[in-house]
Amino acid sequence: MDRWGAPALCVVDRNAAPFFGATSVGVHLHCYVRSATGLQLWVAQRAADKATYPSMWDSTVAGGQPVGLGLAANMCKEAAEEAGLDAALSGRAHSTGVLSQMTSQSDGSCLKQSLYFVWDLEVAEDWEPRAADGEVACFERWDMQRLEREVREGELLR
């Protein structure tokens, strides 16, 4: 594809993408609060029955990019489905860039390239996400010290 929005020549499920050497594309939204004690981030614990990374912590909202839907529109759709955000609130999110990630199985097989388009959204201190579609078990609001500790030292499995 030469450009975003060009007609799709074929569609590959993102779980099959690494087997075809295709890049998986997704959207992530980080909802944060400026509290009296500093920045805090809402994180989502993935449902235990998710096929990939069950029960692990994730961005407030995360989802795959379907064919035929724009990136911002998909972020707003995922925000409504996963965290109960209405379009007026998720529409205020700021695009902050693209994250490129390369992962593999522990034995080095199944190399997977992913691109995540990322948005940040400041929310009110009394706002809380609500798990709306069953893909998220729960949400927690972490301060930056907890977030750093989990990234550096957190358990691989919960």
Side-chain angles (χ1 to χ4, degrees):
M1 178 185 316
D2 291 348
R3 61 183 171 81
W4 288 104
L9 299 176
C10 71
V11 177
V12 176
D13 184 279
R14 69 185 186 150
N15 292 322
F19 301 104
F20 291 94
T23 300
S24 174
V25 179
V27 295
H28 282 224
L29 172 65
H30 302 118
C31 294
Y32 67 94
V33 173
R34 291 183 198 269
S35 74
T37 59
L39 287 178
Q40 298 175 333
L41 180 70
W42 281 103
V43 294
Q45 185 179 38
R46 295 168 62 87
D49 62 357
K50 292 289 290 176
T52 55
Y53 308 107
S55 300
M56 296 188 81
W57 295 101
D58 207 344
S59 301
T60 316
V61 172
Q65 179 62 37
V67 172
L69 187 62
L71 293 165
N74 185 39
M75 179 275 295
C76 290
K77 176 189 79 70
E78 291 288 337
E81 291 174 359
E82 291 188 4
L85 273 88
D86 62 44
L89 183 56
S90 63
R92 292 190 356 230
H94 298 280
S95 174
T96 56
V98 181
L99 173 68
S100 175
Q101 180 184 38
M102 187 73 77
T103 57
S104 71
Q105 298 292 329
S106 58
D107 65 2
S109 67
C110 196
L111 195 60
K112 179 182 178 192
Q113 170 68 34
S114 300
L115 286 178
Y116 300 110
F117 289 82
V118 182
W119 284 262
D120 288 347
L121 176 63
E122 183 173 355
V123 295
E125 196 160 3
D126 63 349
W127 178 84
E128 290 188 26
R130 57 179 169 74
D133 69 358
E135 292 189 16
V136 172
C138 67
F139 291 95
E140 290 184 7
R141 199 166 91 182
W142 292 358
D143 61 28
M144 293 299 106
Q145 293 78 17
R146 167 113 190 250
L147 182 62
E148 180 180 8
R149 187 172 56 252
E150 288 293 330
V151 168
R152 290 181 184 273
E153 305 164 10
E155 296 177 33
L156 292 178
L157 298 174
R158 296 255 183 238

